[in-house]
Amino acid sequence: MKITAQEEYGLRILIRLAACKDTNGMSIPQLSEAEGLTGTYVAKLTRILRMKGFINSTPGYKGGYVLAKPAKEIVINDALKALGGPMFNSTFCGSHTGTMKLCTNSVDCSARSLWQMIQYTLDQLLDKVTLHDLVNSEKESIKILYQMLEPDPALKRSIMQIIAPEQ
């Protein structure tokens, strides 16, 4: 399970635009410099985000990119799926058949049940997170995300050890 560069950088561009105070938004060169990406790659990502309805371009010499709707209305799960798709979907098994035409476990597959459960769990969390929740410091975002977890204290402690280990 990997987060693609497109998902990471696309999300960072959305966060950057959500935090932008300029009503004209940010231009490709500004985004490129702020995120340390090439202008070409930023153009590719902004095109995807614009086509999927997350951002709008403002025309003119001082134009740039702005969010298409308030950050509180942009669900992170939707943005990540627009940038890279779900981790697991119905076509996954068909593309992992090995040398066979059909997967040897296509009828009864315990691995598929694991991937489905992981996707379900990711969706449950990411459907609760909005772009607004991420326009903070890392420490503040951790607090916000922590509150979204199910009220299982042991699970929360385990996750907090992973994301914010005590120094």
Side-chain angles (χ1 to χ4, degrees):
M1 292 178 278
K2 294 182 180 180
I3 298 167
T4 67
Q6 186 164 291
E7 292 162 335
E8 168 69 11
Y9 295 135
L11 180 59
R12 284 173 35 183
I13 285 172
L14 284 174
I15 294 169
R16 181 79 55 186
L17 291 175
C20 181
K21 304 295 183 209
D22 187 338
T23 57
N24 291 319
M26 294 180 75
S27 66
I28 288 175
Q30 289 172 319
L31 287 165
S32 175
E33 182 178 337
E35 291 301 328
L37 303 170
T38 67
T40 304
Y41 195 50
V42 170
K44 174 186 174 181
L45 294 171
T46 53
R47 182 178 186 279
I48 292 167
L49 292 168
R50 186 177 51 78
M51 299 289 285
K52 297 293 185 174
F54 294 102
I55 63 175
N56 290 326
S57 57
T58 57
Y61 172 70
K62 292 193 175 200
Y65 289 92
V66 296
L67 295 179
K69 51 189 169 186
K72 285 184 177 187
E73 294 177 22
I74 297 177
V75 176
I76 295 303
N77 201 19
D78 297 338
L80 290 175
K81 286 181 178 176
L83 288 160
M87 184 197 80
F88 178 85
N89 64 26
S90 60
T91 63
F92 182 86
C93 293
S95 61
H96 294 86
T97 60
T99 59
M100 311 290 275
K101 194 171 192 172
L102 292 173
C103 177
T104 58
N105 298 302
S106 63
V107 175
D108 184 23
C109 180
S110 58
R112 178 175 46 229
S113 63
L114 172 65
W115 305 137
Q116 288 171 329
M117 184 54 63
I118 290 171
Q119 185 64 58
Y120 174 80
T121 304
L122 282 172
D123 287 341
Q124 292 299 302
L125 175 61
L126 294 176
D127 281 339
K128 295 176 187 176
V129 183
T130 67
L131 185 56
H132 177 76
D133 298 323
L134 301 178
V135 183
N136 300 294
S137 67
E138 183 176 3
K139 200 171 199 173
E140 187 61 31
S141 290
I142 286 172
K143 288 178 188 175
I144 292 167
L145 296 171
Y146 181 77
Q147 293 171 353
M148 292 179 190
L149 296 175
E150 292 296 323
D152 177 353
L155 176 62
K156 284 185 179 181
R157 276 192 301 279
S158 296
I159 291 173
M160 286 307 292
Q161 286 297 322
I162 293 168
I163 61 175
E166 293 180 23
Q167 315 260 329

